Amino acid sequence: MRRVMIDTDPGTDDALALLMALNCPDLHLEGITTVGGNATLAQTTQNALRLVEYVAGERDVPVAIGADRPARGSFSYAYHVHGTDGLGVNLPSTARKPHRADAVELIRDRALAAPGPITVIALGPLTNVAAALDGRPDMAKAIAAIVVMGGAVEVPGNVTPHAEFNIYEDPWSAHAVFASGVPVTLVGLDVTHKTSMHRDSGPRWFESTSASAQLGNRILANSFQARSDVQEFYLHDPLAVAAAIEPELLTYRRAHVEVMMDGEERGRTVACYGDGPVQVAGGVDVGRAVEVVRSLVSK
Ligand code: BDR
Ligand code: CA
């Protein structure tokens, strides 16, 4: 079993990604760290705690609190996409409490723990991940790989013509992660905008009676109901988890990736192909990827 940590801002598609990881027999989810982004840090943390309780019950998956703001300024949030609480569906409240250590401490602790290397899957702004690496060269060695949902390399952005949301929200931390020397897999809009579930495929996008499938169906139904102009639910964060499980779902080009920090190109990801620490995903086996998401959420 591969040891993984998930850093996340749930978030509707983050929630599906968490369901996949919790249900996947090939992954050992060692912990979840939360960051502001789609909603406030308090909301993303509460969403993560409730979701773990709802589908994983007694299982001990620590949820640690991370950053409530990016390296500079503040998060802008995406309530228009993810609903007023970041999820759009009411999950039962939980007595589950956040882990005693914060996100940076938990990432560092799990990275140094045995057995074997750990992969960090980053599904939100990269603030926590950059902070865990900052001033700690031992971390860059201990973390085997970081799979990042973020960026729009050869395609337009989704918050500006140039930038994808997660990178736009904290370009300084994204830059630090890409320059850290840790191997990064960049799962950006180049592939996630090809990987979606259509409104008309519902209301049983996930065909099972499991709690996880039912929750997945509620999330998609609510999301489509709240946004009548939208036909596709993009599987951004789920595709990053799928790539961590089955890397050959995607094709990649190796690169150094620069992040624009300021001005109208803020958050733009520019790849210089050849060699470098980043594998930029450019192609995806859409049918197979959607099937991986469907089957894991349906478990
Ligand atoms: C990313 O932004 C967020 O709104 C989603 O959860 C995903 O991580 C897509 O641009
Ligand atoms: Ca996200």
Side-chain angles (χ1 to χ4, degrees), residues 112-143:
L112 295 174
I118 198 154
T119 297
V120 175
I121 305 173
L123 307 178
L126 285 160
T127 321
N128 294 334
V129 182
L133 290 165
D134 189 37
R136 291 288 300 265
D138 58 327
M139 282 298 126
K141 293 206 181 77
I143 298 173

mmCIF file of all heavy atoms in Angstrom, residues 112-143:
data_model
loop_
_atom_site.group_PDB
_atom_site.id
_atom_site.type_symbol
_atom_site.label_atom_id
_atom_site.label_comp_id
_atom_site.label_asym_id
_atom_site.label_seq_id
_atom_site.Cartn_x
_atom_site.Cartn_y
_atom_site.Cartn_z
ATOM 1 N N LEU A 112 8.397 11.754 7.692
ATOM 2 C CA LEU A 112 9.570 11.123 8.306
ATOM 3 C C LEU A 112 9.248 9.746 8.888
ATOM 4 O O LEU A 112 10.149 9.013 9.288
ATOM 5 C CB LEU A 112 10.138 12.029 9.409
ATOM 6 C CG LEU A 112 10.701 13.365 8.911
ATOM 7 C CD1 LEU A 112 11.106 14.241 10.086
ATOM 8 C CD2 LEU A 112 11.874 13.153 7.957
ATOM 9 N N ALA A 113 7.956 9.400 8.906
ATOM 10 C CA ALA A 113 7.564 8.118 9.513
ATOM 11 C C ALA A 113 7.845 6.961 8.560
ATOM 12 O O ALA A 113 7.898 7.127 7.344
ATOM 13 C CB ALA A 113 6.083 8.152 9.871
ATOM 14 N N ALA A 114 7.981 5.781 9.142
ATOM 15 C CA ALA A 114 8.175 4.559 8.360
ATOM 16 C C ALA A 114 6.804 3.932 8.132
ATOM 17 O O ALA A 114 5.834 4.308 8.802
ATOM 18 C CB ALA A 114 9.072 3.625 9.147
ATOM 19 N N PRO A 115 6.670 2.950 7.277
ATOM 20 C CA PRO A 115 7.695 2.453 6.373
ATOM 21 C C PRO A 115 7.559 3.057 4.971
ATOM 22 O O PRO A 115 6.464 3.235 4.490
ATOM 23 C CB PRO A 115 7.375 0.948 6.327
ATOM 24 C CG PRO A 115 5.877 0.899 6.461
ATOM 25 C CD PRO A 115 5.464 2.120 7.274
ATOM 26 N N GLY A 116 8.685 3.341 4.386
ATOM 27 C CA GLY A 116 8.712 3.734 2.976
ATOM 28 C C GLY A 116 8.320 5.172 2.741
ATOM 29 O O GLY A 116 7.848 5.862 3.642
ATOM 30 N N PRO A 117 8.520 5.610 1.503
ATOM 31 C CA PRO A 117 8.288 7.012 1.161
ATOM 32 C C PRO A 117 6.817 7.393 1.142
ATOM 33 O O PRO A 117 5.945 6.532 1.059
ATOM 34 C CB PRO A 117 8.869 7.111 -0.259
ATOM 35 C CG PRO A 117 8.828 5.724 -0.789
ATOM 36 C CD PRO A 117 8.933 4.789 0.367
ATOM 37 N N ILE A 118 6.581 8.695 1.236
ATOM 38 C CA ILE A 118 5.188 9.177 1.218
ATOM 39 C C ILE A 118 4.968 10.087 0.010
ATOM 40 O O ILE A 118 5.881 10.789 -0.425
ATOM 41 C CB ILE A 118 4.849 9.922 2.533
ATOM 42 C CG1 ILE A 118 3.339 10.024 2.706
ATOM 43 C CG2 ILE A 118 5.509 11.302 2.591
ATOM 44 C CD1 ILE A 118 2.898 10.139 4.135
ATOM 45 N N THR A 119 3.762 10.028 -0.522
ATOM 46 C CA THR A 119 3.358 10.927 -1.608
ATOM 47 C C THR A 119 2.343 11.912 -1.036
ATOM 48 O O THR A 119 1.418 11.508 -0.320
ATOM 49 C CB THR A 119 2.696 10.131 -2.754
ATOM 50 O OG1 THR A 119 3.663 9.228 -3.298
ATOM 51 C CG2 THR A 119 2.186 11.044 -3.856
ATOM 52 N N VAL A 120 2.545 13.188 -1.324
ATOM 53 C CA VAL A 120 1.577 14.214 -0.930
ATOM 54 C C VAL A 120 0.711 14.537 -2.147
ATOM 55 O O VAL A 120 1.233 14.803 -3.229
ATOM 56 C CB VAL A 120 2.287 15.490 -0.428
ATOM 57 C CG1 VAL A 120 1.269 16.592 -0.136
ATOM 58 C CG2 VAL A 120 3.112 15.182 0.821
ATOM 59 N N ILE A 121 -0.595 14.467 -1.956
ATOM 60 C CA ILE A 121 -1.527 14.848 -3.026
ATOM 61 C C ILE A 121 -2.126 16.191 -2.618
ATOM 62 O O ILE A 121 -2.793 16.287 -1.580
ATOM 63 C CB ILE A 121 -2.636 13.783 -3.203
ATOM 64 C CG1 ILE A 121 -2.018 12.393 -3.436
ATOM 65 C CG2 ILE A 121 -3.560 14.166 -4.351
ATOM 66 C CD1 ILE A 121 -3.052 11.247 -3.455
ATOM 67 N N ALA A 122 -1.859 17.218 -3.405
ATOM 68 C CA ALA A 122 -2.253 18.584 -3.037
ATOM 69 C C ALA A 122 -3.413 19.031 -3.917
ATOM 70 O O ALA A 122 -3.274 19.137 -5.131
ATOM 71 C CB ALA A 122 -1.068 19.525 -3.190
ATOM 72 N N LEU A 123 -4.554 19.307 -3.284
ATOM 73 C CA LEU A 123 -5.792 19.582 -4.020
ATOM 74 C C LEU A 123 -6.298 21.011 -3.833
ATOM 75 O O LEU A 123 -7.402 21.340 -4.259
ATOM 76 C CB LEU A 123 -6.884 18.595 -3.561
ATOM 77 C CG LEU A 123 -6.517 17.104 -3.625
ATOM 78 C CD1 LEU A 123 -7.673 16.256 -3.099
ATOM 79 C CD2 LEU A 123 -6.158 16.691 -5.048
ATOM 80 N N GLY A 124 -5.496 21.837 -3.165
ATOM 81 C CA GLY A 124 -5.901 23.222 -2.937
ATOM 82 C C GLY A 124 -4.700 24.140 -3.157
ATOM 83 O O GLY A 124 -3.668 23.717 -3.693
ATOM 84 N N PRO A 125 -4.815 25.389 -2.709
ATOM 85 C CA PRO A 125 -3.641 26.271 -2.744
ATOM 86 C C PRO A 125 -2.475 25.603 -1.998
ATOM 87 O O PRO A 125 -2.685 24.895 -1.011
ATOM 88 C CB PRO A 125 -4.138 27.524 -2.025
ATOM 89 C CG PRO A 125 -5.622 27.504 -2.194
ATOM 90 C CD PRO A 125 -6.018 26.060 -2.184
ATOM 91 N N LEU A 126 -1.249 25.855 -2.467
ATOM 92 C CA LEU A 126 -0.101 25.065 -1.987
ATOM 93 C C LEU A 126 0.555 25.625 -0.721
ATOM 94 O O LEU A 126 1.698 25.287 -0.402
ATOM 95 C CB LEU A 126 0.917 24.933 -3.126
ATOM 96 C CG LEU A 126 0.452 23.928 -4.192
ATOM 97 C CD1 LEU A 126 1.188 24.151 -5.513
ATOM 98 C CD2 LEU A 126 0.661 22.503 -3.708
ATOM 99 N N THR A 127 -0.166 26.424 0.030
ATOM 100 C CA THR A 127 0.369 27.110 1.206
ATOM 101 C C THR A 127 0.948 26.150 2.250
ATOM 102 O O THR A 127 2.084 26.342 2.722
ATOM 103 C CB THR A 127 -0.749 27.959 1.852
ATOM 104 O OG1 THR A 127 -1.543 28.550 0.817
ATOM 105 C CG2 THR A 127 -0.157 29.034 2.741
ATOM 106 N N ASN A 128 0.199 25.126 2.625
ATOM 107 C CA ASN A 128 0.685 24.189 3.649
ATOM 108 C C ASN A 128 1.900 23.403 3.162
ATOM 109 O O ASN A 128 2.850 23.167 3.919
ATOM 110 C CB ASN A 128 -0.392 23.147 4.012
ATOM 111 C CG ASN A 128 -1.604 23.748 4.683
ATOM 112 O OD1 ASN A 128 -1.508 24.792 5.315
ATOM 113 N ND2 ASN A 128 -2.740 23.084 4.540
ATOM 114 N N VAL A 129 1.841 22.958 1.928
ATOM 115 C CA VAL A 129 2.913 22.102 1.399
ATOM 116 C C VAL A 129 4.218 22.900 1.324
ATOM 117 O O VAL A 129 5.285 22.421 1.733
ATOM 118 C CB VAL A 129 2.527 21.528 0.019
ATOM 119 C CG1 VAL A 129 3.621 20.602 -0.500
ATOM 120 C CG2 VAL A 129 1.199 20.777 0.107
ATOM 121 N N ALA A 130 4.115 24.150 0.859
ATOM 122 C CA ALA A 130 5.318 24.993 0.794
ATOM 123 C C ALA A 130 5.861 25.249 2.194
ATOM 124 O O ALA A 130 7.082 25.216 2.420
ATOM 125 C CB ALA A 130 4.992 26.319 0.103
ATOM 126 N N ALA A 131 4.968 25.477 3.144
ATOM 127 C CA ALA A 131 5.411 25.751 4.526
ATOM 128 C C ALA A 131 6.094 24.517 5.123
ATOM 129 O O ALA A 131 7.079 24.645 5.873
ATOM 130 C CB ALA A 131 4.231 26.185 5.385
ATOM 131 N N ALA A 132 5.609 23.334 4.797
ATOM 132 C CA ALA A 132 6.227 22.100 5.327
ATOM 133 C C ALA A 132 7.637 21.909 4.766
ATOM 134 O O ALA A 132 8.521 21.356 5.437
ATOM 135 C CB ALA A 132 5.352 20.899 4.998
ATOM 136 N N LEU A 133 7.851 22.387 3.541
ATOM 137 C CA LEU A 133 9.173 22.231 2.901
ATOM 138 C C LEU A 133 10.135 23.348 3.293
ATOM 139 O O LEU A 133 11.352 23.169 3.249
ATOM 140 C CB LEU A 133 9.009 22.242 1.373
ATOM 141 C CG LEU A 133 8.321 21.016 0.753
ATOM 142 C CD1 LEU A 133 7.888 21.322 -0.673
ATOM 143 C CD2 LEU A 133 9.255 19.815 0.778
ATOM 144 N N ASP A 134 9.584 24.477 3.709
ATOM 145 C CA ASP A 134 10.390 25.679 3.929
ATOM 146 C C ASP A 134 11.466 25.463 5.001
ATOM 147 O O ASP A 134 11.151 25.100 6.138
ATOM 148 C CB ASP A 134 9.462 26.832 4.342
ATOM 149 C CG ASP A 134 10.216 28.151 4.373
ATOM 150 O OD1 ASP A 134 11.082 28.363 3.503
ATOM 151 O OD2 ASP A 134 9.947 28.956 5.286
ATOM 152 N N GLY A 135 12.713 25.682 4.627
ATOM 153 C CA GLY A 135 13.824 25.589 5.577
ATOM 154 C C GLY A 135 14.106 24.173 6.052
ATOM 155 O O GLY A 135 14.822 23.988 7.038
ATOM 156 N N ARG A 136 13.544 23.175 5.384
ATOM 157 C CA ARG A 136 13.719 21.780 5.809
ATOM 158 C C ARG A 136 14.164 20.919 4.632
ATOM 159 O O ARG A 136 13.360 20.210 4.018
ATOM 160 C CB ARG A 136 12.403 21.250 6.396
ATOM 161 C CG ARG A 136 11.995 21.864 7.716
ATOM 162 C CD ARG A 136 12.879 21.388 8.868
ATOM 163 N NE ARG A 136 12.809 19.956 9.040
ATOM 164 C CZ ARG A 136 12.001 19.334 9.906
ATOM 165 N NH1 ARG A 136 11.210 20.039 10.686
ATOM 166 N NH2 ARG A 136 12.005 18.018 9.997
ATOM 167 N N PRO A 137 15.464 20.957 4.303
ATOM 168 C CA PRO A 137 15.957 20.127 3.191
ATOM 169 C C PRO A 137 15.694 18.639 3.408
ATOM 170 O O PRO A 137 15.550 17.884 2.449
ATOM 171 C CB PRO A 137 17.465 20.419 3.154
ATOM 172 C CG PRO A 137 17.762 21.362 4.262
ATOM 173 C CD PRO A 137 16.481 21.809 4.884
ATOM 174 N N ASP A 138 15.583 18.224 4.677
ATOM 175 C CA ASP A 138 15.272 16.808 4.940
ATOM 176 C C ASP A 138 13.884 16.437 4.417
ATOM 177 O O ASP A 138 13.645 15.297 4.015
ATOM 178 C CB ASP A 138 15.386 16.497 6.445
ATOM 179 C CG ASP A 138 14.464 17.372 7.292
ATOM 180 O OD1 ASP A 138 14.228 18.549 6.921
ATOM 181 O OD2 ASP A 138 13.966 16.862 8.306
ATOM 182 N N MET A 139 12.970 17.413 4.388
ATOM 183 C CA MET A 139 11.621 17.141 3.886
ATOM 184 C C MET A 139 11.637 16.870 2.386
ATOM 185 O O MET A 139 10.940 15.999 1.879
ATOM 186 C CB MET A 139 10.704 18.344 4.134
ATOM 187 C CG MET A 139 10.219 18.449 5.527
ATOM 188 S SD MET A 139 9.236 17.008 5.943
ATOM 189 C CE MET A 139 10.085 16.508 7.397
ATOM 190 N N ALA A 140 12.452 17.655 1.677
ATOM 191 C CA ALA A 140 12.531 17.471 0.220
ATOM 192 C C ALA A 140 13.029 16.069 -0.113
ATOM 193 O O ALA A 140 12.698 15.514 -1.155
ATOM 194 C CB ALA A 140 13.435 18.535 -0.394
ATOM 195 N N LYS A 141 13.812 15.487 0.795
ATOM 196 C CA LYS A 141 14.276 14.106 0.577
ATOM 197 C C LYS A 141 13.228 13.095 1.021
ATOM 198 O O LYS A 141 13.058 12.042 0.408
ATOM 199 C CB LYS A 141 15.565 13.861 1.366
ATOM 200 C CG LYS A 141 16.749 14.668 0.862
ATOM 201 C CD LYS A 141 18.065 13.957 1.218
ATOM 202 C CE LYS A 141 19.266 14.751 0.749
ATOM 203 N NZ LYS A 141 19.552 15.908 1.650
ATOM 204 N N ALA A 142 12.521 13.428 2.093
ATOM 205 C CA ALA A 142 11.588 12.453 2.679
ATOM 206 C C ALA A 142 10.308 12.300 1.850
ATOM 207 O O ALA A 142 9.695 11.238 1.851
ATOM 208 C CB ALA A 142 11.230 12.867 4.102
ATOM 209 N N ILE A 143 9.906 13.374 1.168
ATOM 210 C CA ILE A 143 8.675 13.293 0.368
ATOM 211 C C ILE A 143 9.043 12.774 -1.021
ATOM 212 O O ILE A 143 9.820 13.398 -1.747
ATOM 213 C CB ILE A 143 7.979 14.668 0.281
ATOM 214 C CG1 ILE A 143 7.566 15.118 1.691
ATOM 215 C CG2 ILE A 143 6.768 14.599 -0.644
ATOM 216 C CD1 ILE A 143 7.013 16.537 1.766
#
